[in-house]
Amino acid sequence: MASETELLAKEVHAKTHVKVDNEKVAQFVAAKLGAEIDAKVAESAGRVDKLLKSQEARLAELGDARVSEVTKTLQGATKGLERAERVVSGMKRSLTWAGVGKVAAASIPFALVVLALVMLLGLGGQLFGIGPVFSWAWASFAAAEAWWAKVLIALSTIAGALGVLWVVKVLGQKLYATYRGW
């Protein structure tokens, strides 16, 4: 019995040491893992391909919509340019004698204002006493000895001249309004 126990102990002891063949284990694990990794990569590649195709379809839709929008905008701009070209060509044709007459009629108020200004400075000015008033102001300015008197005379003369110009301007605007509604 002792020899059998010894023999069993030797067998148990021999079997407790596991000898692993690393090459066979590596081949087995590599085959299993390789197959699983290939399956996972193929699955992931399929999902990525599907996502890329859907994204590509969305981008194509957006691109088509944007192209359509830009096309509409360009067509609107082209219509506006065509309208402007028609207006310009119409303006070229409208500059006839009737147009010249309208320009002349529009310039009548300005001519009347110029005539009034000339009259004020010339004969009309003599009739209204503008010339003698300015002559008197100049003589007074030259005769004044104090600087403050000269400043006072100069300021009052300039204020009077500006007042006359203001009256001419107001009358010119009234004439312009009258002839504009003509």
Side-chain angles (χ1 to χ4, degrees):
M1 188 146 148
S3 66
E4 269 188 49
T5 306
E6 249 178 60
L7 187 61
L8 278 176
K10 284 183 185 177
E11 277 184 39
V12 167
H13 184 47
K15 289 187 178 182
T16 58
H17 292 327
V18 177
K19 291 186 180 178
V20 175
D21 188 3
N22 288 338
E23 205 170 294
K24 285 184 181 180
V25 170
Q27 286 176 356
F28 177 76
V29 170
K32 277 273 204 194
L33 280 176
E36 282 186 40
I37 287 174
D38 286 345
K40 293 291 183 183
V41 166
E43 180 183 326
S44 180
R47 282 186 298 191
V48 167
D49 190 40
K50 183 179 175 183
L51 285 173
L52 285 176
K53 284 182 182 178
S54 69
Q55 188 68 16
E56 187 177 290
R58 272 191 258 154
L59 287 175
E61 286 177 21
L62 287 174
D64 290 344
R66 185 68 180 147
V67 166
S68 173
E69 182 181 319
V70 168
T71 303
K72 287 179 184 178
T73 303
L74 288 176
Q75 286 174 345
T78 304
K79 287 179 185 177
L81 288 174
E82 288 171 354
R83 240 181 291 128
E85 187 177 356
R86 283 194 303 269
V87 167
V88 167
S89 66
M91 285 180 163
K92 281 189 223 174
R93 283 183 259 129
S94 70
L95 193 59
T96 59
W97 285 109
V100 172
K102 287 180 182 178
V103 169
S107 65
I108 288 175
F110 297 109
L112 290 175
V113 168
V114 168
L115 180 65
L117 188 60
V118 167
M119 285 176 55
L120 279 174
L121 295 176
L123 181 61
Q126 290 296 324
L127 288 174
F128 291 117
I130 300 290
V133 168
F134 281 120
S135 295
W136 170 80
W138 182 252
S140 298
F141 183 81
E145 293 180 15
W147 66 270
W148 58 268
K150 287 187 181 220
V151 169
L152 186 61
I153 292 169
L155 287 177
S156 60
T157 304
I158 290 172
L162 289 175
V164 169
L165 288 176
W166 179 78
V167 168
V168 169
K169 178 186 175 270
V170 168
L171 291 176
Q173 285 176 338
K174 284 187 181 186
L175 284 173
Y176 174 74
T178 301
Y179 282 111
R180 185 174 181 169
W182 209 24

